[in-house]
Amino acid sequence: MGKEISRRTFLKVAAGAATASGLIPQVRRIALEPFVRPPEEELPGRATWFASTCRQCPAGCGIIVRVINGRARKIEGNPNHPLNHGKLCARGQAGLQVLYNPDRLHNAVRQSGGRGSRIFSPIPWSEALDELTAALQSLRDPQALAVLAGQPSDHLYTILASFLEVVGAPPAVIFDLHTALDGRAECASLSSRWFGEHQLPIYDLAHAQVVFSFGANLLETWMSPVAQSVAYGQMRQSRLGGRGVFVQFEPRLSATGASADEWIPVPPGTEGIIALALGRIIVEENLGRAGKHSDHAHLYRNVSVADAAQACGLPVEELRRLAHLFAETDRPLAIPGGQLTGHTNSKQAMDAVMALNVIMRRLGRHGGVFTPQPVPAERFASPAPTSNLTEILDLVERMRSGDIEIFLIHGANPIYELPAWVGFKEALEEVPLVISFSPFVDETAVQADLILPDHTYLEGWGYQVVSPGADRPIISGQQPVTQPLHDTRSTADILLSLASRLGGAVARALPWEDEAGFLEESSAQLHDNSISTYDARTPAGFWSLWRQHGGWWSKRAIKREPEAVGMPKGAMAVPAAAFQGDKGTYPFHLMPYSSLTLSDGRGANQPWLQEAPDPMTTARWNTWIEINPESARSLAIKDNDMVRVTSAYGSLQAAVVVYPGIRPDTVAIPTGQGHSDYGRFATTRGANVMDLLTPSPAEQGNKFAFCATRVRIEKVGQVKPLARLEDLDGEGRESIR
Amino acid sequence: MSDREHMAGDSDVPEGQIELSEEYRERLLLAQRTDAEINAAVLRPMMETGPKFWITVAILSAIILWGLYAWGYMIYWGMGTAGINNPVYWGLFIATFVFWVGISHAGTMISAVLRIFKADWRRPITRGAEAMTAFALLMAGLYPFIHLGRVWKFYWMLPYPNNRFMWPNFQSPLMWDMVAIFTYLIGSSLYLYLALIPDMAMARDHSVGWRYKLYRTLALGWRGTEGEWHKLHRALNIFSVIIIPVFLSVHSIVAWDFAITLQPRWHSTIFAPYFIMGAVYSGLAALATILVIVRKSMRLEEFLRREHFDALGKLVMVAGLGWIYFWFAGFIVEWYGNDPVTRELIHDEVAGKLAPLFWLQMTANILPVIFLAFRKIRTNPKWLLGFTLLINVGMYTERVLIVVGNMQRNYLPFDWGTYKPTWVEISIVAMTFAGFILLYILFSRIVPYVPVWEIKEGRLRYSLRRIGRLWVPTAAEID
Amino acid sequence: MAKAVRVSAKEKQDENRRRWGMVIDLDRCTGCQACVVACHAENNVPVVGEQEAARSHSMHWIRIERYWEGEYPNVKARFMPVLCQHCGEAPCEPVCPVFATYHTPEGLNAQVYNRCIGTRYCGSACPYKVRVFNWFRPDFPEPLEQQLNPDVSVRQRGIIEKCSFCVQRIRRVELDADASGREVEDGEVQPACVQSCPPSALIFGDLNDPESEASQLARSRRAFRLLDFLGTDPAVIYLKGGETNV
Amino acid sequence: MEDTKHLMGLFRDGTETAQVIDSLYELGMEDRQVTVMTGVPYPERSLGRHVEWLRLPNIVLAGALVGFFLGLFLAVITPHLYRLDIGGHPTVGFPPAAVITFVFTMMATIVSTFLGVLWEMNFPEFGPKHYDKRVTDGYLAVLVEHDPSEEGQVRKIFEQHGCDSIQRSERQPL
């Protein structure tokens, strides 16, 4: 236990644990034991806590799970974990409802009525493995094997990558909507472009004095929201006094924007233009205490503040005020991300924002931008990348043209998550054998021949190299906290069994008996490491401490100063963002945004998350569309009116929320609802905003430009009272008329 | 006969030469009848039950059975099947409860207050009024049970200690409510019953079969000896004195249920008298409604006459003026105070979502007061029926506005609410209305609706006296 | 427990007695709903579904109120978590006919589920509208019932429930401290909402201990109490947003 | 009692009845020997009888006192048996105690009045009694309990005052 752990958190953990040491390592194999003959660590009625990792989003927060009588009862943040410091978000808390979800698959099934029939017949695991092995053996060309995974646990990715490499198949495509809406691929590309790093940059929010966030909803879903919220709390009210200022640039006031001191409602796609204008003013007026800006003057050579002011509809004076606010402080910080990356000009816009950090000399400084220190072991050095849209479109194309014979899908639900225009479902129909590893029957699993359900994360093993990390290298360890509820099997174990069945080079490349063996071996790579927060004499002891702590991390903060080796050399320019749909026919910009509770829809089967109100609209259990009061008035629509939202590609219906915090030319729809499959809590409610997205032409770069669609709104004449926590008669105001 | 002789003897009236104006003649109408004829006139409609009666009973029973089903449904599935929600924790149930408690107030008003003031016109209508009190209270008394989330634990409110010697909380206005309503129910039922004993004896003497057995039991062996009459009189006098503070306390306590909370517009000292005034207003109006209907359906025109409608109409009008006064006295203070929540509540009522209900309430409560000022309207049964029904629509609306209207708003606009009753609530409310009517019509077939002995007693006290050219009836102050 | 319950007025004035309270720093609150879900998980608060949620039958013990200020484009939204304020002079307590709610010596506004008969009078009397009623039987489709916290009872239909400041956690810490013969330390008791709150907007502690973090923050000049003018003496203290302490 | 007989006379007029009673007293009858039954309550003393002294007010008063103390017990004593702090209120407050005490006083008064008057009237009493059903049709019945020797005199008095019906009265079920 490091010094960072305050006495109280230690006591708290210790109080719940049966043994003297805080956390108990989960034993590798637990025989099914009846309650009256409890396993030796179990005392009836007494809680045991197990440390593991949250897998509700890719952030990798450490959790501790309260287990009583062999059943997980409560998930809390791991107080020792340097990423989330014992805190946990709503989605993390709801993990129990993934584990105990009544709509989980209880065993491996074959869709006996054919794909999409939803008629499943259970099959024994041996048969499933036989079939899979036979299919792989009969594969004429290993290139005909394709895998799509959604941010898998890093251990699974490593095993999967080795497996695919050794059988000669193309690497897995990694996609999920949650990280797509974060702009994770864009952020990674920015990092590698500027700093030559494949890891995401770290923004030291806690110590910044002025934070300008361009589109990143960093307190909701973006990257590592718990860590960012912890930092935000410190920025706001550090115990030493002093209060950071936070300005959010986005067309729709998000919950993050609501927490900001100022919300600048910029027109969609102009965030980068504003960043450039701010930089130009700073450089031109030589603002701030960071020295002369002449080094960077050339970047802003072609920037006209007046043009920018016009483009973003703000007076020049306002831009000057913002530039002064940003520059005339010791520790400003600019953060690009989120819906900024959903525009066609995202690359240039991200550059423009990052340039603000550079001209203010914020790289590697307290309250500035850092790059993470990699974990000092080979096994953990290359965490899973995120694929961009080109790779996905390529995969779809190969599927459509019949090049793919076996398609494996794990942890992703592309039929639901990908825009309808991608045509994933149609392409999937061309694949002869589709195997899903989803624990739930989701939209994609319904199109599979076999479903070989994985454990949920509370029943399975794994680890996650935290990225974007905190101030130090972290591996969040994942271990089973309870017996598997059903006859499910870890996908990593399936791959390992496949390898041994295939034999030869494959078996040699993947020699582990099971995933736990792989993990134990991996952990040994960090044994005797000098920066480790704990150490043990033997690798076995180290592995035990690993599980007890819930992973591995450095005992002290290691921050690396990024070198802006790849920053733009010449004058920067941000082109106007392109939008799909004629402005006359489709007068509104559509902003899909990641739901705080349901995220990209994976939370929709968890009733706690469905029932937790959206912080801004307080709506629950459904989809809505947010419209500026003025626009609503001109369309003669009121709260709860059903409207048809039509884009050039598709249309959907949703109830209206008249929303004071959105531009009059923009409407916003949260993701997450509109499931056709995915269990009783998720289905029959709302609509999927992804159905509306209109493809960007290829010449605009194959980006996932999710903010580039224009729509029109028509009243359909029905009223659908949304389950809002707030009473509409109160008009959302605290003071009464 | 005996009374005619009285008149003749005392006043020397030349037979056949009296020119009485209509209003005076009306009062002497019964003087023309013998006691036996009066008995027969009262008993006949009791015994006759035509198909209309049974159809009515069948319909009412059906409504009651449906209401019981709705109640069972609500108990089984939970209170959420009703429209009440957070923050409108009390809805139609409590509004109707207050309404029934209000209706119950006229019976005592008529029989106790008027008995004390020796207002002789009360005599034929006292029993109908007292029965109304008892049955309205029975219906009101159902609501605390209906309203309980765990009705199967209702007995935890009874004043007895639990196994840890913890008694109920007597600081809770609900405890006051419970004991006060129970007291009033006992008081009004016993009062009704005491005055019924001589008439039970009368009915006993004129009936056979099951009725004879029933009346004989209820008459308790009454013979009408002097001693019995004397004791009965004393008891009734004591009762009429005691029941008045009880009736004042019951509706005050109902008002305090609301007034002791911090809810704006409820938290008001005028609530208790305002509720009492409203109760008297709605109760008297309901009594007039019932009398008009009973008079017609039981052919009691001889007993329930224009003089009663006239007097009752005046009382209703006075109570209505009182209600308007108290309403205004509360309103002006609330309006002037301009507290934000109160302002919002007033706005919501006067011009907001509740405006239709509010203006219905005001119209239905004020319009009759104006019209009842005219004797022709007061004494016309049809008009009277219409206006008194309107008053009760208005008073019911008022209860709904007080309970629901206020609970929809509070200090935190985020937590305001909207209330819409469901079929469950409507069925249960309908059940109590049907239950009241059913009990009432069964009652009117089983006991003499008109208190015969009181009428006969009243006749004793009248005589004619000549004043100038006029012969006027005068009443003796005998006790 | 009986000992803790039977307390004379004199004992109550004992200065050493704890008064549990919560400080809510509105400047830190981001409206993220972590506390809401944590509370559902810890206290077995049922989920009612879309239809009933739309009828205001939802049962959150803590809710985050969102208030708008100004009009577009100068619009701001503020978050305010509202939970039972554990009033010192609680309007909900004296109105209960069966003593189902009372004030514990440690300043908690306790709700005795077993005693409640569901008059909902307390809910009507509460100016903060934080008392929630079990409108229906709680429904946990199998195997969701396995998520239930065994330390907290599952409530029957027809009774009132509300935030208890996670009394089961308070008791556990107190018992453990008693067992090892030490005092309960500041910050040792953390209700589920406080425990989860990512920006640490919620701080729990003994308001009668001048050294506790909560009581120190409660003395901040940013401090205010919700509807303080009603004189209910809440144990929840809010810190105004948008300002510093100094 | 076997040597007394009962004679009942039915009259139509109150004044005549009063005179009959006077005459009976002149005959030496005692108060308890004469019973008057009417269908209508005649004012006290109008028939020339003595007025009984009633215990009813005392019963009522006693009932009121019992109710008062019961109310006081519930409102003032019971909260001390299991003391709970509610809303900062004192364990016993005057206003709630006043309401409870008042209501219980009233309840007991009402009940004691009712029970008291039944007790005074000796009710319920369903045994056979001297009675004539015509009483409720307006007749005033005078029931005289007399020695067999006095029968003639009583009959004479009855007849003198226009008695409608004179009959030997036997106890009969009501």
Side-chain angles (χ1 to χ4, degrees), chain B residues 150 152-153 155-156 162 164 166, chain C residues 98-100 111-118 153-156 159-160:
Chain B
R150 294 206 293 177
W152 52 95
K153 302 282 187 202
Y155 57 90
W156 287 359
N162 74 358
R164 293 186 180 192
M166 186 167 89
Chain C
V98 292
F99 283 121
Q111 176 73 19
V112 188
Y113 306 129
N114 289 340
R115 187 86 194 136
C116 178
I117 57 174
S153 60
V154 176
R155 280 76 59 185
Q156 199 174 17
I159 63 167
I160 285 270

Side-chain angles (χ1 to χ4, degrees), chain B residues 306-319:
Chain B
R306 283 207 322 206
E307 91 175 281
H308 300 114
F309 293 145
D310 186 30
L312 208 51
K314 279 185 210 159
L315 271 184
V316 171
M317 189 184 76
V318 170

Side-chain angles (χ1 to χ4, degrees), chain A residues 577-589:
Chain A
F579 295 96
Q580 315 312 321
D582 168 49
K583 193 171 182 176
T585 324
Y586 304 105
F588 295 101
H589 293 286

Side-chain angles (χ1 to χ4, degrees), chain A residues 99-184:
Chain A
L99 173 66
Y100 296 127
N101 198 293
D103 298 313
R104 276 183 65 181
L105 279 168
H106 289 208
N107 35 32
V109 292
R110 181 196 309 282
Q111 195 153 201
S112 46
R115 288 189 207 168
S117 65
R118 296 175 181 82
I119 301 166
F120 301 103
S121 47
I123 51 170
W125 278 102
S126 55
E127 186 186 326
L129 283 172
D130 288 347
E131 186 164 344
L132 198 48
T133 316
L136 285 171
Q137 279 165 342
S138 64
L139 207 59
R140 278 170 290 111
D141 176 8
Q143 291 290 326
L145 169 66
V147 180
L148 178 73
Q151 297 294 328
S153 163
D154 281 326
H155 88 293
L156 173 60
Y157 176 76
T158 310
I159 291 172
L160 181 64
S162 314
F163 182 85
L164 292 176
E165 193 185 337
V166 72
V167 300
V173 174
I174 307 292
F175 172 84
D176 71 318
L177 183 59
H178 179 93
T179 50
L181 294 175
D182 279 358
R184 201 180 185 94

Side-chain angles (χ1 to χ4, degrees), chain A residues 174-230:
Chain A
I174 307 292
F175 172 84
D176 71 318
L177 183 59
H178 179 93
T179 50
L181 294 175
D182 279 358
R184 201 180 185 94
E186 296 286 329
C187 293
S189 131
L190 172 82
S191 198
S192 60
R193 205 162 59 236
W194 279 60
F195 311 126
E197 297 271 349
H198 60 265
Q199 290 220 43
L200 297 167
I202 298 163
Y203 301 96
D204 188 5
L205 189 61
H207 304 106
Q209 282 174 323
V210 174
V211 179
F212 276 23
S213 162
F214 294 84
N217 63 349
L218 42 89
L219 303 177
E220 295 161 78
T221 54
W222 190 69
M223 297 298 174
S224 193
V226 176
Q228 286 146 9
S229 294
V230 170

Side-chain angles (χ1 to χ4, degrees), chain A residues 178-411:
Chain A
H178 179 93
T179 50
L181 294 175
D182 279 358
R184 201 180 185 94
E186 296 286 329
C187 293
S189 131
L190 172 82
S191 198
S192 60
R193 205 162 59 236
W194 279 60
F195 311 126
E197 297 271 349
H198 60 265
Q199 290 220 43
L200 297 167
I202 298 163
Y203 301 96
D204 188 5
L205 189 61
H207 304 106
Q209 282 174 323
V210 174
V211 179
F212 276 23
S213 162
F214 294 84
N217 63 349
L218 42 89
L219 303 177
E220 295 161 78
T221 54
W222 190 69
M223 297 298 174
S224 193
V226 176
Q228 286 146 9
S229 294
V230 170
Y232 167 82
Q234 289 166 359
M235 177 202 86
R236 277 306 195 202
Q237 298 285 335
S238 65
R239 294 289 182 250
L240 300 170
R243 178 176 186 276
V245 174
F246 181 21
V247 182
Q248 181 85 357
F249 296 80
E250 56 188 2
R252 169 205 174 251
L253 182 72
S254 63
T256 307
S259 298
D261 298 277
E262 283 192 54
W263 167 54
I264 313 294
V266 295
T270 64
E271 293 88 346
I273 296 172
I274 290 182
L276 273 192
L278 295 179
R280 165 94 197 189
I281 295 167
I282 291 168
V283 170
E284 196 172 270
E285 302 186 14
N286 204 20
L287 300 176
R289 288 157 240 176
K292 286 212 183 309
H293 294 304
S294 48
D295 300 358
H296 302 118
H298 65 281
L299 291 173
Y300 298 98
R301 207 166 51 217
N302 295 344
V303 177
S304 154
V305 176
D307 288 354
Q310 201 180 355
C312 62
L314 291 172
V316 173
E317 269 316 298
E318 174 72 358
L319 289 176
R320 285 196 62 232
R321 184 184 68 79
L322 289 168
H324 281 253
L325 176 67
F326 187 72
E328 287 175 355
T329 176
D330 288 336
R331 302 194 295 275
L333 177 64
I335 305 176
Q339 48 91 13
L340 165 72
T341 64
H343 290 290
T344 53
N345 61 1
S346 63
K347 177 168 167 284
Q348 297 88 339
M350 304 240 349
D351 286 349
V353 176
M354 187 52 86
L356 285 176
N357 289 320
V358 173
I359 61 171
M360 295 310 296
R361 316 271 197 298
R362 301 308 306 144
L363 300 189
R365 305 291 165 85
H366 195 53
V369 184
F370 296 91
T371 45
Q373 175 81 16
V375 177
E378 178 223 356
R379 180 62 54 76
F380 308 101
S382 50
T386 307
S387 304
N388 58 32
L389 190 66
T390 317
E391 294 164 74
I392 293 158
L393 291 179
D394 181 49
L395 170 67
V396 170
E397 188 48 45
R398 286 196 295 138
M399 283 159 62
R400 191 177 289 135
S401 58
D403 291 348
I404 306 292
E405 288 174 29
I406 304 176
F407 183 71
L408 307 180
I409 176 130
H410 179 274

Side-chain angles (χ1 to χ4, degrees), chain C residues 1-14 17 102-107, chain D residues 79-86 89 91:
Chain C
M1 291 300 271
K3 188 183 148 218
V5 166
R6 289 165 177 245
V7 164
S8 73
K10 266 181 203 160
E11 276 176 280
K12 193 190 150 199
Q13 285 156 7
D14 187 350
R17 181 145 275 129
Y102 73 100
H103 218 66
T104 74
E106 295 196 338
Chain D
H80 289 284
L81 299 178
Y82 196 100
R83 221 173 285 173
L84 287 170
D85 177 14
I86 43 167
H89 282 200
T91 311

